[in-house]
Amino acid sequence: MDGEFATNTDPTARWSLVVPLKPLRLAKSRLAGAAGDALRPRLALAFAQDTVAAALASPVVRDVVVVTDDPTASAELAELGARIVPDAPANGLNAALAHGARAVRAVRPRAAVAALNADLPALRPAELARVLSAAEAFPRAFLADAAEIGTTLLTAAPGAELNPAFGGPSRHRHLSSGAVEIVLTGVDSVRRDVDTGDDLRAAAALGLGPYTARGYTPRGPLPAPRPGS
């Protein structure tokens, strides 16, 4: 699906975001112990829905491209206003992100592009705007995750290549690549990605978005709802 998608008409909205998403059956494998294999794909989709919805609501975000081959996720995220780009490289996370950035710049060659994790269920539009606004001062910049090991956001100004190096200790790799680390307080929702049950509890303490909140309580993930409930 690569059709109509939402665009922020505010002239100050300059960022195009690229969000990668694995097929839901494979996503968030480390959550299986906390959520079970039945609920895990549903939570992965809910995380992505909350991430994309919050990103599209951010005043500095022009549009969102989601790179995925999952048909269910494609339909649900397109309904929110994302542009869906198939994962043509099919060669892992960083290849997907580079492909998404090329798709953005095929339409807008001078776009400012940012790669954003799909697992930020507590994401706040205003906090994302603060981070992206800070990134405008640099050709490439990134935000470390809450553990200060990985990365949740990587940006590239117009004319700069994204050069993503996500996965594992990506904070060090992005620093080594010349990207500038963004250091801000009060942007916890942009740093809180979710891989484990503990991560999900920490995100819940910040305040979950509506899609994730439907399947989670402070006691932990809930069983999938019955059809029609």
Side-chain angles (χ1 to χ4, degrees):
M1 188 182 313
D2 199 4
E4 294 299 317
F5 57 97
T7 297
N8 190 339
T9 58
D10 185 334
T12 65
R14 66 189 301 264
W15 289 95
S16 289
L17 269 54
V18 178
V19 177
L21 185 61
K22 289 180 181 179
L24 296 176
R25 70 184 186 279
L26 303 176
K28 297 290 122 190
S29 59
R30 292 169 61 192
L31 265 179
D37 280 329
L39 184 56
R40 174 184 52 77
R42 293 171 57 87
L43 283 174
L45 175 58
F47 296 167
Q49 288 172 299
D50 282 323
T51 300
V52 168
L56 286 168
S58 184
V60 300
V61 173
R62 185 181 189 278
D63 50 33
V64 174
V65 166
V66 176
V67 182
T68 188
D69 285 333
D70 189 283
T72 298
S74 294
E76 295 291 340
L77 298 174
E79 187 171 335
L80 292 177
R83 174 188 175 193
I84 307 303
V85 172
D87 184 6
N91 193 31
L93 173 60
N94 292 306
L97 287 169
H99 175 62
R102 288 192 296 270
V104 167
R105 287 179 171 166
V107 177
R108 295 173 55 232
R110 295 293 297 170
V113 178
L116 182 69
N117 284 6
D119 57 353
L120 301 168
L123 185 63
R124 298 291 183 266
E127 292 184 17
L128 178 60
R130 285 188 62 213
V131 176
L132 290 171
S133 296
E136 290 178 359
F138 310 104
R140 290 175 66 245
F142 74 95
L143 186 73
D145 63 11
E148 299 189 346
I149 296 171
T151 304
T152 58
L153 179 84
L154 174 70
T155 68
E161 292 298 320
L162 189 62
N163 292 331
F166 283 80
S170 61
R171 176 178 181 243
H172 175 72
R173 288 197 298 274
H174 285 134
L175 274 172
S176 298
S177 75
V180 175
E181 183 170 4
I182 299 166
V183 179
L184 289 174
T185 59
V187 293
D188 293 347
S189 75
V190 196
R191 301 183 66 195
R192 174 45 67 191
D193 55 347
V194 173
D195 289 314
T196 68
D198 286 343
D199 293 340
L200 182 52
R201 284 184 282 275
L206 294 175
L208 296 170
Y211 295 94
T212 305
R214 288 172 192 158
Y216 181 84
T217 70
R219 297 178 184 176
L222 296 173
R226 293 187 181 125
S229 63

